């Protein structure tokens, strides 16, 4: 039954992708396809990364309201990037190979995230309000430190970090596509291999321990993958706050199952449909007055409030 | 054989278990009784590595709890915790199916599926198989969790108050099933019970705990006396002997 829904979602994504590639081409089709193909690839990568990161995070933290973005994962990424620019200086930073830079940032991000969020998960497990508050405070703190650093650097350096500080689906960094695709696909592959473990981890720490799947180890591994996925997505489009939540909420609605073998690909497909379809509609149908990020963030924000209110009532 | 050596446990500086040493040989039903807060659940949780061990050593056959591989331990020992929280998306069949996870690790074989059906049949869950857990009554849910622990099919079974929420028929059926596992399959059952009469009726051995210590250990008819009830539970329930078995008059 869920297989059919996955198939339908795949067809929908295919339709969106074809529409995005082939409608409204002016001038050389070849050039347009090259240009649009890269952007399409970037959107698909971002979509899958955000979706899978959100679903995995909700599974290991045992709730359906928090996502990596709400907990400040992307703020951490921007902070690491800013700190690197401050430490090296903009000219030296820009001399470095962007692919290598991204790898380094992603690695630092993994280490920091496992320390910070690993601790948070262990201390706050089962206490949603505490996790939420700590996460929000943490995100604000990380953003403030970033803001402080950005204020003390000079304008040329600021221009370098600024690109990474705002979401922009329409101008995804396509020059990082190669490294991003490699990192993202690697992480997605490993996430797929974890699908059965994630099913067990979702039962909670007690049941998963007694079934031979100690939560600490699984959480650490999932956090590593989430960090890579968030790093890739943030490097490509900048931080997005509520998009992951919008996707995960829709996923649970469309695919009400506990099985990550369905949830992971399903969420990636839904995410792709929203991003590619949304980008196509905004660019070609509504002639691009509102950026997609504004729309999805608004919808995601509404979902966040609704879920929060529902969660608080229970 | 489960061997507990010099086990002590503190929570926030308060001593919960104090220097417990006990050996449970293979086979048989051992009942663990004691007043609320005596440390029974803590002891069971430590045996099943649900909480990290602080002092002392616990072994299950050749496996050392907290050191041996978790997957091996999951095929040797299963636990039913006192409070189970139900993930709402699961159906009864899904939940019971998780009991086989230590063997198939996500890819159930026909044998695994057959065992799950068998477990559901034994605990009268077949009519509820497709119901999601949050729509069940307390006792039905408890039965689903018992069935999940049962299909884990381990040599050692730790059950923390499994009779919670169960009606008389279900309680007797479960105890009879455990008795059968011990007698005919050489399984080892350690079970926390509050109803002393169930302990004396079905267990081979009773361990009595109070304030983090083991204070009595032996066959039910030797251990359960009026003086023990008075000193351990601090209530003066009279005791009668019916057909050679001590019965607490509640
Ligand atoms: N997380 C915790 N924090 C603080 N104290 C705890 C915690 N868990 C258990 N305790 C304390 O440890 C003691 C033993 O608890 P335990 O759950 O093992 O008792 P029990 O014998 O299973 O009781 P019951 O019959 O009520 O289930 C109790 O005094 C309890 O208050
Ligand atoms: Mg208890």
């Amino acid at each position: 039954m869920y297989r059919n829904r996955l198939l339908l979602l795949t067809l929908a994504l295919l339709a969106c992708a074809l529409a995005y590639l082939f409608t409204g081409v002016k001038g050389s089709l070849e050039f347009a396809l090259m240009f649009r193909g890269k952007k399409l690839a970037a959107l698909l990568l971002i979509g899958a990364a955000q979706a899978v990161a959100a679903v995995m995070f909700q599974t290991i933290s045992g709730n359906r309201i928090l996502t990596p973005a709400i907990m400040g994962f992307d703020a951490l990424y921007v902070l690491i990037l800013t700190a690197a620019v401050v430490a090296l200086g903009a000219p030296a930073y820009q001399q470095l190979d962007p692919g290598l830079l991204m790898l380094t940032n992603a690695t630092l991000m993994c280490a920091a995230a496992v320390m910070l969020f690993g601790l948070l998960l262990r201390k706050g497990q089962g206490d949603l309000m505490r996790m939420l508050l700590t996460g929000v405070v943490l995100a604000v703190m990380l953003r403030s430190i970033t803001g402080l650093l950005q204020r003390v650097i000079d304008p040329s350096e600021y221009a370098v970090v600024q690109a990474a500080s705002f979401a922009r689906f329409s101008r995804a960094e396509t020059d990082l596509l190669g490294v991003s695709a490699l990192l993202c696909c690697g992480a997605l592959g490993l996430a797929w291999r974890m699908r059965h473990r994630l099913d067990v981890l979702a039962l909670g720490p007690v049941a998963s321990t007694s079934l031979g799947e100690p939560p600490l180890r699984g959480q650490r591994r999932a956090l590593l993958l989430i960090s890579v996925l968030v790093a890739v997505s943030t490097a490509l489009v900048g931080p997005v706050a509520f998009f992951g939540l919008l996707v995960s909420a829709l996923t649970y609605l469309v695919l009400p199952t506990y099985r990550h073998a369905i949830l992971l690909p399903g969420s990636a497909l839904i995410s792709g449909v929203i991003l590619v379809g949304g980008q196509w509609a905004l660019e070609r149908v509504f002639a691009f007055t509102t950026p997609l990020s504004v729309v999805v963030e608004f919808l995601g924000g509404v979902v966040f409030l609704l879920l929060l209110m529902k969660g608080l009532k229970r | 054989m489960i061997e507990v050596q010099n086990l002590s446990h503190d929570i926030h500086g308060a001593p919960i278990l104090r220097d417990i040493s006990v050996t449970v040989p293979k086979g048989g039903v051992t009942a663990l009784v004691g007043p609320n807060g005596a440390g029974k659940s803590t002891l069971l949780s430590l045996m099943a590595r649900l909480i990290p061990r602080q002092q002392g050593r616990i072994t299950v056959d050749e496996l050392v709890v907290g050191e041996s591989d978790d997957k091996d331990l999951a095929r040797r020992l299963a636990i039913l915790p006192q409070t189970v929280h139900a993930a709402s998306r699961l159906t009864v069949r899904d939940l019971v199916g998780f009991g086989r996870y230590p063997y198939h690790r996500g890819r159930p074989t026909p044998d695994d599926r057959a065992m799950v059906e068998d477990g559901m049949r034994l605990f009268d869950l077949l009519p509820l198989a497709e119901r999601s857990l949050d729509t069940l009554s307390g006792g039905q849910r408890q039965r689903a969790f018992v069935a999940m622990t049962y299909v884990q099919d381990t040599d050692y079974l730790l059950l923390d108050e499994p009779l919670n929420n169960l009606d008389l028929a279900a309680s007797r059926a479960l105890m009879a099933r455990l008795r059968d596992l011990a007698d005919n399959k050489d399984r080892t059952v350690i079970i926390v019970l509050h109803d002393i009469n169930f302990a004396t009726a079905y267990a081979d051995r009773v361990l009595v705990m109070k304030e983090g210590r083991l204070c009595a250990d032996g066959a039910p008819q030797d251990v359960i006396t009026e003086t023990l009830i008075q000193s351990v539970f601090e209530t003066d329930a009279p005791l009668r002997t019916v057909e050679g078995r001590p019965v607490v008059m509640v």
Side-chain angles (χ1 to χ4, degrees):
Chain A
M1 158 179 154
Y2 297 122
R3 246 162 239 262
N4 290 342
R5 291 190 195 177
L6 283 186
L7 201 67
L8 277 180
L9 284 172
T10 315
L11 291 178
L13 182 57
L14 217 61
C16 288
L18 289 178
Y20 183 78
L21 284 178
F22 290 104
T23 54
V25 179
K26 296 187 197 82
S28 156
L29 180 69
E30 201 176 329
F31 174 75
L33 283 188
M34 261 274 285
F35 181 70
R36 288 177 178 183
K38 276 190 188 165
K39 277 173 95 185
L40 176 67
L43 285 179
L44 290 176
L45 282 181
I46 298 155
Q50 286 282 338
V52 170
V55 170
M56 278 212 286
F57 188 78
Q58 298 190 338
T59 293
I60 59 168
S61 61
N63 76 83
R64 297 203 167 172
I65 299 180
L66 303 179
T67 61
I70 294 170
M71 302 295 287
F73 268 71
D74 50 359
L76 184 62
Y77 184 79
V78 178
L79 174 60
I80 288 172
L81 199 132
T82 310
V85 175
V86 172
L88 298 175
Y93 185 87
Q94 279 174 313
Q95 294 280 296
L96 297 172
D97 177 54
L100 189 73
L101 214 52
M102 187 175 157
L103 275 179
T104 320
N105 283 344
T107 315
L108 284 175
M109 165 92 176
C110 285
V114 168
M115 276 183 342
L116 213 58
F117 295 102
L119 191 72
L120 200 62
L121 279 186
R122 236 171 308 152
K123 297 282 176 211
Q125 184 90 25
D127 187 349
L128 179 65
M129 284 326 283
R130 192 155 123 186
M131 283 255 283
L132 178 66
L133 283 177
T134 332
V136 169
V137 170
L138 194 70
V140 169
M141 208 170 74
L142 292 172
R143 289 203 181 97
S144 320
I145 301 175
T146 309
L148 185 72
L149 285 178
Q150 290 183 347
R151 215 147 293 165
V152 298
I153 59 184
D154 61 62
S156 68
E157 289 175 329
Y158 181 66
V160 177
V161 276
Q162 196 198 19
S165 312
F166 301 98
R168 61 217 177 295
F169 289 110
S170 53
R171 290 181 292 115
E173 299 286 334
T174 41
D175 31 327
L176 286 174
L177 214 52
V179 197
S180 308
L182 211 67
L183 278 176
C184 190
C185 293
L188 289 176
L190 290 174
W192 172 251
R193 283 190 52 187
M194 271 188 87
R195 63 196 184 281
H196 301 304
R197 286 178 80 180
L198 288 168
D199 293 346
V200 176
L201 290 173
L203 295 175
V206 170
S208 60
T209 306
S210 61
L211 293 174
E213 210 55 270
L216 270 187
R217 212 176 309 150
Q219 279 176 0
R220 205 172 304 140
R221 176 173 278 245
L223 278 178
L224 278 177
L225 298 179
I226 291 168
S227 309
V228 173
L229 292 171
V230 173
V232 168
S233 158
T234 315
L236 286 176
V237 287
V240 275
F242 294 119
F243 177 60
L245 185 72
L246 178 67
V247 172
S248 70
L250 277 175
T251 305
Y252 303 136
L253 208 65
V254 178
L255 303 163
T257 171
Y258 70 95
R259 294 181 55 211
H260 286 80
I262 306 283
L263 289 175
L264 295 180
S267 67
L269 288 171
I270 289 175
S271 178
V273 169
I274 297 177
L275 281 189
V276 178
Q279 192 66 29
W280 169 75
L282 284 180
E283 265 182 36
R284 315 277 154 70
V285 184
F286 304 114
F288 215 16
T289 41
T290 331
L292 179 61
S293 59
V294 174
V295 179
V296 295
E297 294 290 70
F298 173 72
L299 290 178
V302 171
V303 170
F304 179 62
L305 286 178
L306 288 178
L307 285 177
L308 204 57
M309 245 115 75
K310 207 173 118 204
L312 287 182
K313 244 189 267 159
R314 241 187 293 136
Chain B
M1 184 168 72
I2 298 186
E3 243 184 316
V4 177
Q5 290 163 15
N6 306 103
L7 188 70
S8 293
H9 195 81
D10 291 3
I11 297 180
H12 306 314
I16 306 296
L17 296 180
R18 302 179 217 186
D19 198 29
I20 290 192
S21 296
V22 64
T23 303
V24 181
K26 200 153 186 314
V29 176
T30 301
L32 190 56
V33 302
N36 290 143
K40 306 178 295 292
S41 297
T42 309
L43 178 59
L44 242 54
S45 302
L46 283 165
M47 285 180 179
R49 66 183 171 339
L50 298 186
I51 46 181
R53 189 175 39 89
Q54 295 170 348
Q55 262 176 50
R57 187 181 152 89
I58 304 170
T59 55
V60 180
D61 294 338
E62 80 285 1
L63 303 175
V64 183
V65 175
E67 288 171 26
S68 295
D69 192 64
D70 281 285
K71 298 178 191 96
D72 295 336
L73 212 52
R75 288 184 221 124
R76 192 68 61 86
L77 174 143
I79 183 164
L80 174 75
Q82 180 170 3
T83 42
V84 285
H85 82 109
S88 51
R89 267 172 295 175
L90 297 180
T91 64
V92 172
R93 179 172 279 120
D94 294 336
L95 181 82
V96 179
F98 272 113
R100 299 301 299 162
Y101 179 82
Y103 302 90
H104 64 61
R105 306 200 60 77
R107 293 176 189 77
T109 64
D111 279 353
D112 290 316
R113 291 184 203 283
M115 286 201 68
V116 171
E117 294 306 308
D118 198 42
M120 288 199 295
R121 189 179 50 75
L122 282 178
F123 293 97
D124 276 335
L125 291 165
L126 283 178
L128 306 171
E130 302 307 327
R131 291 264 295 274
S132 92
L133 288 178
D134 51 0
T135 66
L136 299 183
S137 77
Q140 291 169 334
R141 193 175 312 136
Q142 178 76 1
R143 270 179 7 230
F145 278 94
V146 171
M148 169 185 167
T149 315
Y150 175 81
V151 301
Q152 210 173 324
D153 194 30
T154 52
D155 284 346
Y156 297 88
L157 270 171
L158 310 181
L159 306 165
D160 198 345
E161 300 187 29
L163 305 186
N164 269 351
N165 294 321
L166 295 191
D167 63 32
L168 185 59
S171 300
R172 295 184 66 220
L174 173 59
M175 293 310 294
R177 167 89 21 222
L178 295 175
R179 215 30 286 166
D180 175 60
L181 282 176
D183 293 339
N184 301 323
K185 288 189 163 178
D186 201 26
R187 298 292 161 85
T188 313
V189 179
I190 303 181
I191 179 171
V192 176
L193 291 171
H194 274 302
D195 191 331
I196 306 290
N197 293 339
F198 270 98
T200 54
Y202 291 96
D204 306 305
R205 177 183 178 190
V206 178
L207 294 172
V208 186
M209 279 185 79
K210 186 175 187 180
E211 289 168 6
R213 288 202 174 86
L214 270 182
C215 56
D217 174 6
Q221 60 274 22
D222 303 334
V223 171
I224 303 297
T225 59
E226 225 158 86
T227 18
L228 179 107
I229 303 273
Q230 263 163 24
S231 65
V232 171
F233 292 95
E234 288 164 23
T235 179
D236 44 9
L239 209 67
R240 299 275 180 281
T241 304
V242 179
E243 294 174 12
R245 202 164 75 205
V247 176
V248 180
M249 310 302 292
V250 288

